[in-house]
Amino acid sequence: MQSFLDVNAMRAWLDARATALTERDTVPLLAALGRVLAADVVATLDVPPHDNSAMDGYAVRVAELGQPLPVSQRIPAGTVPRALADGSVARIFTGAPLPPGADAVVMQEVCTVGDDGRVSVDAEVTLGQNIRRAGSDIAAGNVVAPAGKRLTPADLGLLASIGIAEVDVIRPLRVAVFFTGDELAEPGEPLADGKIYNSNRYWLTPLLLQLGCEVTDLGTVPDNFGATREALTDAADFADIILTCGGVSVGEEDHVKAAVEAVGTLDLWKIAIKPGKPFAFGRVGAADFIGLPGNPVSGYVTFHVFVRRYLEQRQGLAEVREPSVIRLKAAFEWTRADARREEYLRVKRVVENGETVLARFANQNSGVLSSCAWADGLVRLAPGQTVAPGDWVDYLPFE
Amino acid sequence: MQSFLDVNAMRAWLDARATALTERDTVPLLAALGRVLAADVVATLDVPPHDNSAMDGYAVRVAELGQPLPVSQRIPAGTVPRALADGSVARIFTGAPLPPGADAVVMQEVCTVGDDGRVSVDAEVTLGQNIRRAGSDIAAGNVVAPAGKRLTPADLGLLASIGIAEVDVIRPLRVAVFFTGDELAEPGEPLADGKIYNSNRYWLTPLLLQLGCEVTDLGTVPDNFGATREALTDAADFADIILTCGGVSVGEEDHVKAAVEAVGTLDLWKIAIKPGKPFAFGRVGAADFIGLPGNPVSGYVTFHVFVRRYLEQRQGLAEVREPSVIRLKAAFEWTRADARREEYLRVKRVVENGETVLARFANQNSGVLSSCAWADGLVRLAPGQTVAPGDWVDYLPFE
């Protein structure tokens, strides 16, 4: 079946099929970078655990100030203070627990220490000044990181601060990739007449790895029905998703379509998108099958417009990236609007007169990835939309 | 020495000391993701190597059209065609080389194949139509990827398309990290009275790994001069950069400062930045020493404002990230301007009425990383700058 779909309809169709994984791994904190949290993490303690000092200085009783006072104890961070003796101050350092009885901390810069060791305060002091209260950062019972969040360095730091040493994360999405086409040569091999180098393998696998997928590369499969069918059934044994580039248009040289239909189901579309157009989604056993266009630029753009979002939903991500469109000003002109298709231009942020604007790669028609390598994102144009310099446009960063 | 510096002056001071590594590794293409190219990569062949078809259809001689013509050959991608026989067309597929003598490709959708197998073209055909010319994407001799570029998935795809199987990249930057403070407990351990969990280790290492650094974690060093000194000299034996959090302010409990000064040199600053302030840069042997503030939020912000840029320059990156400030509208208010310091608010992009705007984390004073974990970037405010909803502000994305 060959259908025609606009971009939003295709996205909605995929959204309806994107079932999040639920199986979990328990991993040490530092191994959880980029993984997706399987459950809310709830704080079991207050941070800070005690009232403590926000400054290097002196812990005082405000009512006793106005006269030089002796230093009755010294409280470095990590120690346990005694109650503040009457008529005295305590030397205290940033992060150190406040001694019981103290009601403010005076920063050392406004204190004078006399020859007798007594401390005078040369500033007005208010109750509670420079005290960080127990539980003021995190109160026990707070959710500090929600289920479905991809863990960042800051998340790991935050979880460490409440003593979390390991976390439950969704298991990695297993993606099998393979490539077909007797015209494909591998980089490093001499290029026989009529052949081209396989470039799809070299952008697709890294993109999947960057998203935290577990990638199995089944290599280049000979361009025939039997070998393609075998690759598909092999992959369906272990993979959540089988991804390939090319072989799924209506051309009669395409064995992938026939092979997927023989061992599973397949829907094929022409999407109203440029570059792009052919897109296939099917099932082989329990695995999804996704067929990207064989043209590297079309495949790369299609991946960013549809596949990344789909993978993130399957990974269990609560917030997928689609909303992170940024409105920026174009520093370019685009007059060759496509009347019927959404168009995705390869663009890059540049600074002009102190303002961030978008530059466009000159040759938007190239069959190779020069435009994608140069760019840091895409501009999405509605069908028929032209652009004049200074126009606001929708920018979708690659990262 | 204790100096006071504004943010730009500090950045210029660091820029002047950021010597790029020059040692190289030769690595296979797929291992080069995120590495920095050591030299320009120049194409040694044309892409496409031959004139080829941009469509599935028929290769024709335009002057012969206007009558049904027989199909004299069939040219799948990856094969070598014969010259186009007089008075015929050739069945051709996307990416297949054009047969000598053909001067256009007609897409199959506008062709009719008669019962006799002859092909009629039901559309106007122009010379050169649907032909991708040899060298039109990349001409031999072109620089396809410049020295100093951090390699993305698209770069790897592009390099593959010209047959590159391995690349020369700058060797990884070696960073040693250690942490001091007898008050530090590790996550998973029970929290003794007066202790806090070490969170700095858990955001710093992942950030360094994300930047492609080779990280050696020397752990938590006992809070005394001898142990600190030993950690420093050990690290200087192998590391390009020694990084730590805390221990470099003027407080008398800070052994790190004394230890660095004993085995190397150290400059300390109070930077006019909020959060942040204390920052240290020195040398131990051939290694740089960088001391971040011990407060996790201050350290995290200082890392993004100064250290990331410095590391990227040392990695040999030609374009460091600083210019990637984006101007966005604030959806928040900020009235508590700091009169003397640049301030970095933790913010997040949100979509409001179809427009991307910035929301602010409510509690910008927290000592823990909640704000950084919630945020996806920083808003930079000049000293004294307040913000009303709808104001344009400088946004620095974390990624």
Side-chain angles (χ1 to χ4, degrees), chain A residues 21-27 35-40 147 167-172:
Chain A
L21 295 176
T22 55
E23 294 161 72
R24 300 172 176 204
D25 295 331
T26 301
V27 299
R35 302 289 295 270
V36 179
L37 261 188
D40 289 349
V167 285
D168 283 349
V169 293
I170 304 289
R171 75 151 168 82

Side-chain angles (χ1 to χ4, degrees), chain A residues 297-373:
Chain A
V297 178
S298 299
Y300 191 84
V301 169
T302 304
F303 184 93
H304 281 89
V305 174
F306 297 119
V307 179
R308 186 170 75 177
R309 173 189 175 90
Y310 183 80
L311 298 177
E312 287 176 341
Q313 288 176 318
R314 298 244 25 216
Q315 288 180 318
L317 220 64
E319 277 184 69
V320 294
R321 292 204 204 194
E322 226 284 299
S324 86
V325 170
I326 305 177
R327 298 281 289 174
L328 283 176
K329 265 190 207 167
F332 63 83
E333 188 171 49
W334 185 252
T335 55
R336 289 170 289 153
D338 189 291
R340 293 175 309 160
R341 295 192 281 171
E342 267 193 28
E343 183 149 13
Y344 288 79
L345 303 178
R346 275 74 70 210
V347 299
K348 180 154 97 172
R349 298 197 300 257
V350 295
V351 177
E352 273 185 9
N353 305 321
E355 193 181 5
T356 304
V357 294
L358 296 171
R360 166 174 79 75
F361 190 71
N363 176 10
Q364 295 282 334
N365 293 318
S366 170
V368 291
L369 288 165
S370 315
S371 62
C372 301

Side-chain angles (χ1 to χ4, degrees), chain A residues 25-219:
Chain A
D25 295 331
T26 301
V27 299
L29 203 51
L30 283 174
L33 182 65
R35 302 289 295 270
V36 179
L37 261 188
D40 289 349
V41 178
V42 176
T44 56
L45 48 77
D46 286 333
V47 178
H50 308 284
D51 293 355
N52 71 28
S53 176
M55 293 279 171
D56 289 350
Y58 295 89
V60 303
R61 210 174 264 115
V62 174
E64 294 176 348
L65 294 179
Q67 55 186 318
L69 293 169
V71 178
S72 57
Q73 63 177 316
R74 192 167 173 284
I75 313 168
T79 57
V80 182
R82 305 184 307 275
L84 184 62
D86 286 348
S88 79
V89 300
R91 182 78 171 112
I92 195 166
F93 298 93
T94 305
L98 199 71
D103 53 22
V105 170
V106 185
M107 64 193 290
Q108 62 196 14
E109 285 81 352
V110 297
C111 297
T112 317
V113 184
D115 292 339
D116 59 356
R118 287 177 182 249
V119 174
S120 307
V121 174
D122 315 313
E124 199 176 328
V125 179
T126 56
L127 279 172
Q129 182 176 302
N130 296 326
I131 295 174
R132 295 170 56 225
R133 293 292 173 195
S136 60
D137 288 335
I138 301 171
N142 283 174
V143 172
V144 294
K149 185 165 204 283
R150 194 189 292 288
L151 293 167
T152 64
D155 287 317
L156 302 186
L158 179 60
L159 295 178
S161 69
I162 55 165
I164 303 282
E166 48 184 35
V167 285
D168 283 349
V169 293
I170 304 289
R171 75 151 168 82
L173 194 63
R174 298 175 192 127
V175 183
V177 298
F178 70 88
F179 304 92
T180 58
D182 287 344
E183 78 277 22
L184 294 181
E186 284 302 305
E189 294 173 0
L191 195 64
D193 224 23
K195 306 279 182 184
I196 58 164
Y197 287 114
N198 180 0
S199 56
N200 286 327
R201 159 186 255 156
Y202 294 87
W203 62 259
L204 182 57
T205 301
L207 274 181
L208 293 166
L209 292 172
Q210 282 185 338
L211 285 172
C213 298
E214 208 171 271
V215 184
T216 304
D217 183 346
L218 300 172

